[in-house]
């Protein structure tokens, strides 16, 4: 069985975007707008249509089985509006993910976005995580380390600010994928430098903090192959050694995992050469950041199964990456 | 001959740090402090002592010949004070580099830092680049894409704000290494996430801009192995393809070069597998970000010559990486 731990509902029916546009218009008129949660009217047929030709077709074509499915990351948009904006929006997005998973229970399992908002405590996020996990069977969450969208206005991940969500993650035994949303800072490009920079930054913040010591069973997935981390594994090993910390492997490998969203063979080979197989989870990010066909291979850039299949690793390691690790990191998958 | 294109004077005698501390104290009393340039009193013997046991010893031990040498990157500190602070400080740092190169002309050749300051035009930087190149024989400059130290308060590198320095670089036929300084933003760690994030961000900014089209002969070196770029080469190829831009290689390889400051064999192997040999310049960053011995190899993490020697590339390609590319990118080296 092949489990894809990183898939987003990037193909949601238009009514979802229309809801968001209405929020945006109301906030333009009044930045403190609260409003009501309202409705997002989408039929089951519209959901079927939105995934049949996209995620479901790609699963079939690529021979993957189950996608750990979450709302579109670039649309989480935690920077927009206020805590009410984010709460209503996240609830709708998560409820929609639940419906997709109910329609295709053997193809999708749900992970939620959190109603984060710059400057706010994580109270609403803890509440939504509890609702999603305890009431509607979610397996984990996407945690945005920078809800401001590239301006870093909230504290780093090592700060006590984040501890309420870490406590809930541990109690519920669910992991977080650390994933930013659309960049508002014009210095960074959302699916390139922003995503990859945030992955690298989040890893370093956790590494330099006491989070992993304070929560020995907590689990984080760093997406996009871990940003720059595996490529610079020697640098990070050297940095912690110069600081007289424990070896890098001891510090992080019990809690931090990397996905395989790296879109060429050389990158996947590096990842699998450097990071132990126990810490790599198969993922494609599809339908995601890159949608084209690589002319040098004739296959989709994000058809990451081809790279993992072609890598020179043992079949035992491949089985861990395809299935066993995902079951260990997301135990509610059982 | 082996040319190391990325070495910093991290071992400068104490008087340099004392000058900086005095600047800092004066600015604490008055943020608008101008003061005078003053003096940094360092003897030739102090300079000899500062490099004999460090950079020179390492050159000898590692069998490298010539280092393209610049002031300590983490100390550029463009965020500190005002344009006067940065101008006086940069002139002293650059003059000191000139003295090192005069004492050891077969071991070091000079590259300057620029007197950037957040919110300022590049006028002072253009003047200092001209002084260094035209009057005292420098080969290039280190350009800080974020003088605020992690807060991104100036425009991105594609903005016309930067064009005066690009025009001067082209006219003088000198390249810039794009290199940030110490992080003031607590979200990022200077020699880890800040350096690597800025490398990735700078590459993406240049890629998405018209800079390389507007200045067809301009040359940038992205240090630290290009941040996350080579590891995610497939992602960037796919992103520009989705945007219906020209192929990534056509867009950047005439102008953008990567150094070999990647501190493990797997990372160097990836770099040399993905990036054409013509676009890779040997570098060690020594004495730099990582100073320890890798217990898995018994050699210094930053002894990057060992990794390049061990890589499966042709001797022609190795010669390009060790010498010919540096001579092409830094033509004033001849």
């Amino acid at each position: 069985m092949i489990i894809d731990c990183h898939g987003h509902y990037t193909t949601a029916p238009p009514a979802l975007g229309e809801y968001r546009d209405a929020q945006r218009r109301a906030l333009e008129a009044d930045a403190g707008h609260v409003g009501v949660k309202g409705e997002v009217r989408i039929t089951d047929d519209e959901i079927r249509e939105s995934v049949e030709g996209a995620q479901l077709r790609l699963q079939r074509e690529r021979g993957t089985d189950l996608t750990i499915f979450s709302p579109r990351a670039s649309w989480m948009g935690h920077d927009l509006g206020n805590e009410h904006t984010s709460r209503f929006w996240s609830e709708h997005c998560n409820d929609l993910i639940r419906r997709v998973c109910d329609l295709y229970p053997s193809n999708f399992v749900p992970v939620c976005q959190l109603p984060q908002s710059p400057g706010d405590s994580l109270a609403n996020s803890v509440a939504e995580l509890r609702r999603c996990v305890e009431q509607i069977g979610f397996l984990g969450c996407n945690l945005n380390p920078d809800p401001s969208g590239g301006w870093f206005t909230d504290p780093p991940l090592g700060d006590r600010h984040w501890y309420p969500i870490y406590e809930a993650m541990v109690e519920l035994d669910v992991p977080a994928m650390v994933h930013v949303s659309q960049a508002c800072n014009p210095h960074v490009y959302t699916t390139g430098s922003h995503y990859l920079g945030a992955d690298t930054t989040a890893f370093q913040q956790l590494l330099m903090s006491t989070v992993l010591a304070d929560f020995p069973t907590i689990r984080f997935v760093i997406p996009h192959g871990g940003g720059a981390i595996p490529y610079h594994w020697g640098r990070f090993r050297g940095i912690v050694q110069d600081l007289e910390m424990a070896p890098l492997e001891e510090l992080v490998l019990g809690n931090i995992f990397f996905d395989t969203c790296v879109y060429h063979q050389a990158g996947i080979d590096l990842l699998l050469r450097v990071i132990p197989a126990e810490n790599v989870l198969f993922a494609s990010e599809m339908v995601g950041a890159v949608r084209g066909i690589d002319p040098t291979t004739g296959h989709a850039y994000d058809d990451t199964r081809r790279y993992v299949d072609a890598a020179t690793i043992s079949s035992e390691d491949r089985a861990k990456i395809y299935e066993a690790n995902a079951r260990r990191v997301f135990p509610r998958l059982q």
Side-chain angles (χ1 to χ4, degrees), chain A:
Chain A
M1 183 175 190
I2 298 183
I3 300 171
D4 182 338
C5 82
H6 184 181
H8 296 301
Y9 196 11
T10 46
T11 57
L16 188 68
E18 288 157 13
Y19 178 90
R20 190 63 165 167
D21 289 341
Q23 278 196 320
R24 210 179 302 269
R25 282 193 302 273
L27 288 159
E28 278 164 12
D30 168 17
H33 175 77
V34 175
V36 295
K37 180 173 171 183
E39 280 187 72
V40 174
R41 288 184 196 217
I42 292 174
T43 66
D44 285 354
D45 277 347
E46 286 173 320
I47 293 177
R48 288 190 191 95
E49 198 183 339
S50 71
V51 295
E52 290 277 2
Q55 291 84 354
L56 277 179
R57 177 178 59 81
L58 293 173
Q59 277 189 357
R60 264 196 315 274
E61 288 177 5
R62 299 178 182 184
T64 65
D65 300 293
L66 184 69
T67 299
I68 298 178
F69 204 52
S70 60
R72 186 174 195 164
S74 64
W75 279 24
M76 293 190 299
H78 296 116
D79 61 281
L80 185 70
N82 50 58
E83 61 171 316
H84 308 284
T85 320
S86 260
R87 186 159 69 83
F88 297 152
W89 172 240
S90 291
E91 288 175 12
H92 279 304
C93 287
N94 293 334
D95 288 346
L96 192 58
I97 291 293
R98 179 68 267 171
R99 289 178 63 196
V100 176
C101 297
D102 286 342
L103 286 172
Y104 301 97
S106 58
N107 297 96
F108 299 107
V109 286
V111 154
C112 63
Q113 72 178 49
L114 298 173
Q116 299 175 244
S117 196
D120 276 357
S121 82
L122 275 297
N124 285 348
S125 294
V126 170
E128 178 65 0
L129 180 64
R130 286 196 177 283
R131 180 183 82 90
C132 288
V133 174
E134 294 181 323
Q135 294 175 29
I136 52 175
F138 278 52
L139 312 181
C141 60
N142 291 338
L143 179 67
N144 186 344
D146 175 23
S148 72
W151 296 109
F152 294 117
T153 52
D154 277 351
L157 290 177
D159 193 276
R160 296 268 155 179
H161 168 78
W162 299 91
Y163 275 37
I165 196 78
Y166 299 156
E167 286 161 7
M169 285 164 56
V170 167
E171 183 199 326
L172 298 168
D173 201 15
V174 297
M177 178 172 281
V178 185
H179 204 310
V180 287
S181 189
Q182 185 149 27
C184 309
N185 181 332
H187 275 268
V188 284
Y189 186 87
T190 298
T191 55
S193 47
H194 185 45
Y195 280 9
L196 303 176
D199 299 336
T200 309
T201 295
F203 176 89
Q204 180 114 47
Q205 288 180 7
L206 293 170
L207 173 63
M208 309 309 286
S209 77
T210 60
V211 171
L212 307 185
D214 291 343
F215 299 95
T217 62
I218 204 165
R219 297 178 303 283
F220 295 99
V221 180
I222 311 284
H224 320 110
I229 301 297
Y231 177 43
H232 287 284
W233 197 246
R235 188 178 191 87
F236 287 95
R237 288 179 56 234
I239 285 174
V240 298
Q241 182 176 319
D242 282 357
L243 294 171
E244 301 184 351
M245 296 165 67
L248 182 60
E249 292 78 359
E250 276 180 36
L251 289 169
V252 302
L253 291 182
N255 307 90
I256 293 183
F257 302 83
F258 302 97
D259 81 10
T260 65
C261 293
V262 179
Y263 296 155
H264 59 154
Q265 189 67 48
I268 289 289
D269 289 348
L270 177 282
L271 172 68
L272 300 182
R273 180 173 168 191
V274 171
I275 305 298
E278 289 70 20
N279 288 76
V280 178
L281 273 65
F282 175 74
S284 70
E285 204 182 348
M286 63 97 168
V287 178
V290 171
R291 305 188 183 195
I293 304 291
D294 183 345
T296 67
T297 65
H299 302 294
Y301 287 100
D302 68 357
D303 185 357
T304 51
R305 184 184 164 182
R306 290 180 182 272
Y307 312 133
V308 176
D309 278 348
T312 53
I313 54 173
S314 69
S315 55
E316 290 77 15
D317 281 352
R318 196 171 282 108
K320 289 177 190 166
I321 292 166
Y322 277 148
E323 180 177 359
N325 295 341
R327 292 191 182 279
R328 194 157 46 87
V329 172
F330 294 84
R332 287 178 180 259
L333 192 50
Q334 309 305 349

